[in-house]
Amino acid sequence: ERSNTMSNLLVQNIKHTNGTTAATVSSGGVFASAGHVIQVVEKVSTQNNAFTSNSYSDHDELAITPKLSTSKMYLSFVGRIKYDNTLGNGDRVRGGFRWNRFVGGSSVATHNHSTEQFQSKGISNDGGCEFSFTGTYTVFDSPATTSEVTYKLQVQNSQNDNNFTVSHGQITIMEIAQ
């Protein structure tokens, strides 16, 4: 005869026979092993924004609520960068990305590496050059919270006399246990 009762195994840590902890179970029931992905949030960015000034401007955003305060977040954006057709011979277009972290509606940290992460130089004598390519920007962040975190992708045109657009992208956030 088969029983319909369920059994529970109550553990806080799973250890190897040598005593090293291989995985933990948080008080909230999150099973985690260092270096493993806890959760993933993603979206297809349909934003199509022109960047004209030499300051960071919002492009798109995505929120995540970390399951563990010790996790790292892997932030990734892949999207199209397109220079308009006013790029003349020898003209340059330069720009850069940054991630701005918001908790409770307030900006608490930014991650940027350079305002010149991508650039191009015009090769047309008639101002008819049009050029686009796929740009990627990724960083790791340690928000140290279990409150909702909103990451805003911001873009800067560091050569503001030549404009470009950023569009058709994918934003991904992965929470990684530490």
Side-chain angles (χ1 to χ4, degrees), residues 4 33 37 109 171:
N4 287 333
S33 182
V37 175
I171 298 174

Side-chain angles (χ1 to χ4, degrees), residues 16-17 31 38 78 83 86 88 93 99-101 108 122-123 132 146 150 152 155 163 173:
H16 185 270
T17 55
F31 181 83
I38 301 294
V78 178
Y83 304 123
T86 61
V93 176
W99 289 103
N100 195 350
R101 179 184 354 127
V108 293
I123 55 171
S132 68
T146 55
T150 300
K152 290 187 180 185
V155 183
N163 303 334
I173 304 173

